[in-house]
Amino acid sequence: LASKKNDVVWKSPYNPLAKDAPELPTKGQIKAAIPAECFKRSYFWSLFYTARDLIIAGAFVYGTSLVLSTDMPSVMEQPAEFATWLFGWSFYAFWMGTIMTGPWVIAHECGHGAFSDSQDFNDMVGFILHQFLLVPYYAWQYTHAKHHRRTNHLVDGESHVPPT
C-alpha cells in the first residue's frame, strides 16, 4: 500500500485477461513436454540420493564437532568467545536445516507414495527417515493426506480459516 501521494507502486505489465495476452500452456501440455524417462522411479537413484544427503549431514555434524564446543562461554566474562560461539552455532543451525531439507523432502515423498513403485518400500524408507526427523511417520502420513484433501478449501481447509 502506498503511504504517500508520490509513492510509486509496481504493477505487472502482464494482464492475463488482455486480448493480446499469450496463451499459457496447460498442465497436460507441460507434462507432455517432459521426457517419459523423467517419470520413471528408480530404487537405485532414490536410495543413492537418500544416502548422499545423510552422508552430507553426518559429515557436517562431524566437522562441526571438531570446531565448536557445546559449552556456552560466559557473555560477561568472554564476550568475544561468546560471539564466536553464537555465530558458529547459528551458522550450523542454518546450514544443517538446509541440508536436512533433502531427507525431509524424500520422507515427504515416501508418504505420498512417490519414492518408489512399492508402497511397502515407501513406508519402510519413510518410517526410517521420519525417525531421524523426530516425526511419527504414520500419524504424519494420515494427517498430511487429510490436509491434501482439503487444501485451499475456504471452510474445511487449514490455510483459509474463515472469521468467526
Side-chain angles (χ1 to χ4, degrees):
L1 297 173
S3 59
K4 296 180 185 175
K5 208 176 201 181
N6 296 332
D7 281 353
V8 177
V9 177
W10 181 84
K11 184 178 177 188
S12 172
Y14 176 71
N15 178 1
L17 303 176
K19 291 180 182 179
D20 62 342
E23 190 173 321
L24 298 176
T26 65
K27 287 182 194 177
Q29 290 170 325
I30 293 171
K31 189 174 178 181
I34 300 171
E37 60 265 16
C38 292
F39 294 100
K40 292 181 182 165
R41 293 178 264 194
S42 164
Y43 287 95
F44 173 80
W45 288 110
S46 295
L47 291 173
F48 171 80
Y49 290 125
T50 303
R52 179 202 63 184
D53 289 351
L54 294 175
I55 288 168
I56 291 170
F60 195 57
V61 167
Y62 178 72
T64 301
S65 73
L66 297 177
V67 295
L68 282 177
S69 170
T70 55
D71 297 328
M72 183 173 74
S74 170
V75 178
M76 298 300 190
E77 296 172 14
Q78 303 167 307
E81 288 84 356
F82 176 77
T84 302
W85 180 88
L86 184 63
F87 173 79
W89 282 110
S90 297
F91 179 88
Y92 170 81
F94 175 82
W95 285 109
M96 183 54 87
T98 302
I99 291 166
M100 290 305 288
T101 299
W104 170 251
V105 169
I106 293 169
H108 177 266
E109 293 310 308
C110 288
H112 282 289
F115 183 74
S116 75
D117 291 328
S118 165
Q119 189 58 47
D120 289 338
F121 191 71
N122 289 332
D123 287 341
M124 180 186 70
V125 173
F127 182 82
I128 292 167
L129 288 176
H130 273 78
Q131 299 314 298
F132 285 113
L133 298 165
L134 303 178
V135 177
Y137 177 69
Y138 291 105
W140 173 85
Q141 188 182 40
Y142 173 78
T143 59
H144 193 63
K146 188 176 173 185
H147 150 80
H148 274 289
R149 280 194 293 275
R150 294 300 190 181
T151 299
N152 295 329
H153 191 279
L154 290 177
V155 177
D156 297 334
E158 300 163 357
S159 57
H160 297 286
V161 179
T164 57

